[in-house]
Structure formats: C-alpha cells, structure tokens
Amino acid sequence: LTYGEAVSKDQLSAASDIAGEFVYDPPLETLLEVGAHVLKATFNPADPDKYQTQTLYRTVMVRRAPLTITLHDKKRVWGTENPELTYSITGWVLGEGADLLIGGVSPSTDAQNESRPQDYVITAAHGTTKSYKITVVNGTLNVFPPPKPVISSLIPKKPKLGQLLTIFGQNLRSVQEVKIGSMEFSASVESDEMISIKLPDTELNGF
C-alpha cells in the first residue's frame, strides 16, 4: 500500500469453503499511516456447533507517497537582481498540503548579480514529512549578456586632468572600464544610464 490508499480486498481477501462470514480489523476502506500494520480477519462460521471461529493475521507495509517539488525556470540579464525563485509541489493526497512540510521550501541558486552569463542550477532545501518521499526537480536560471552599451553624452565634453567625467547613455551597467586615448580607466556605475570616471590629477603615460 501507498499512503493515501485505503485498505481494499487486495489486502483483505480471505476465503473459506465453509459457510460463514469474515470480519476484518481494520475494516475495508480504512486509511492507514505510514509503517507496518497487522490486519486481522476473523471467520465466524454459520454453524458454530460444528465449526470453530478462526482468526487470520497478515502484515502490510504502507509506503510513503511520492511528493515532487519542481523549481521553475527563470531568466535575467547580467548585472541585475535574481528574480523571485518559485516552485510548485505535486503529489499531496487526502486533501493535505504544504502545512505538513515541516521547515518549508527554500529555493536557491549560486548566481550573483555579477556572475558571468550562463545557465545556473536552481535547487531547494526542504523540510520533512513522515508520510511523503520527496523528490526535487531542479530548475535553470539563464543569465544572458547585457545589451550593447550606447553613449549619448559626456560631461564635461572635453575632460581635463583631475576632473570627474560623467558618461550618460543606455545599458551602461555592464561597463567596467573606459578607454580614453591609450589609457583605460575604471568606471563607477551609478545606474544603467550613467557611469563616472575620476581622471588622474597629473599626467599619466601621456594622458
């Protein structure tokens, strides 16, 4: 038997050539908890003066019901926050639900904001429940490359030594360095539309 299935004639199917009736304990259609159970069948003969009452025993094992936690696939662009990680649970029986899952479900992924564009596994830690055998089906987080940066303006237009150069445009979040002449400068990302660069106070390698 699997948890959620009732005791049926597959488990209680005693028969006799002698007239009489069987009384089952527990009776047919009983729902049992997970574990081993002893079923009893008592035969009451129609002619008790000629035949004795007989009792038969049988042990049945109730297995845990299968329960599946499925993580949903997600996607996002590089440099942005991970989306909410969601999941669904299938396999509950007898009207039961997630309140029986002690500890709940905690989805997670190794992907961080700056993790390189690629696919990452979404999995989940979960609590336990005595009546169900839990299987986790992992999902995938697809981190795809950002769109190509587009620069629309510079302030100041002709930067000088020691100044703060502010660059405006679109899709700038992925910009880490800006090349001016033969020099590369680290960029400070303010937003997807603005980055800034602190130019050196003194001439550096010809800049």
Side-chain angles (χ1 to χ4, degrees), residues 27-28 37 45 63 99 110 121 126 136 156 160 163 176 185 193 206:
L28 292 170
H37 298 268
R63 301 178 299 272
D99 56 310
D110 290 337
V121 174
H126 58 81
V136 175
K160 298 179 181 180
Q163 288 186 322
Q176 297 179 340
F185 299 93
E193 293 78 31

Side-chain angles (χ1 to χ4, degrees), residues 26-40:
L28 292 170
E29 303 304 320
T30 297
L31 294 167
L32 301 175
E33 296 294 327
V34 170
H37 298 268
V38 176
L39 308 183
K40 182 173 69 173

Side-chain angles (χ1 to χ4, degrees), residues 40-205:
K40 182 173 69 173
T42 301
F43 178 68
N44 296 313
D47 186 353
D49 294 330
K50 187 175 181 181
Y51 301 100
Q52 294 182 337
T53 297
Q54 298 290 325
T55 301
L56 306 174
Y57 297 91
R58 180 184 180 186
T59 299
V60 297
M61 180 65 68
V62 179
R63 301 178 299 272
R64 291 181 294 168
L67 191 72
T68 303
I69 301 173
T70 302
L71 282 302
H72 301 155
D73 292 339
K74 301 288 181 176
K75 62 176 61 177
R76 69 164 173 85
V77 67
W78 177 91
T80 60
E81 296 284 343
N82 286 336
E84 180 184 3
L85 303 180
T86 57
Y87 60 90
S88 57
I89 303 178
T90 55
W92 296 113
V93 297
L94 305 178
E96 296 175 343
D99 56 310
L100 293 182
L101 197 58
I102 301 172
V105 179
S106 300
S108 64
T109 181
D110 290 337
Q112 305 298 320
N113 286 21
E114 306 301 322
S115 297
R116 63 183 298 178
Q118 64 180 40
D119 287 342
Y120 294 86
V121 174
I122 303 173
T123 189
H126 58 81
T128 59
T129 174
K130 67 177 183 177
S131 300
Y132 295 86
K133 183 178 181 179
I134 300 173
T135 299
V136 175
V137 178
N138 292 335
T140 300
L141 172 63
N142 174 237
V143 178
F144 53 91
K148 185 177 180 179
V150 177
I151 296 177
S152 58
S153 62
L154 307 176
I155 297 179
K157 290 184 178 181
K158 295 182 178 180
K160 298 179 181 180
L161 291 173
Q163 288 186 322
L164 181 68
L165 173 62
T166 303
I167 301 173
F168 296 92
Q170 297 177 343
N171 310 320
L172 301 180
R173 188 179 298 277
S174 62
V175 176
Q176 297 179 340
E177 293 183 337
V178 175
K179 188 173 184 178
I180 303 176
S182 62
M183 295 296 299
E184 292 185 348
F185 299 93
S186 296
S188 176
V189 178
E190 308 295 340
S191 69
D192 208 35
E193 293 78 31
M194 183 176 72
I195 61 175
S196 59
I197 300 169
K198 178 64 170 66
L199 300 179
D201 294 325
T202 57
E203 186 172 337
L204 184 65
N205 291 339

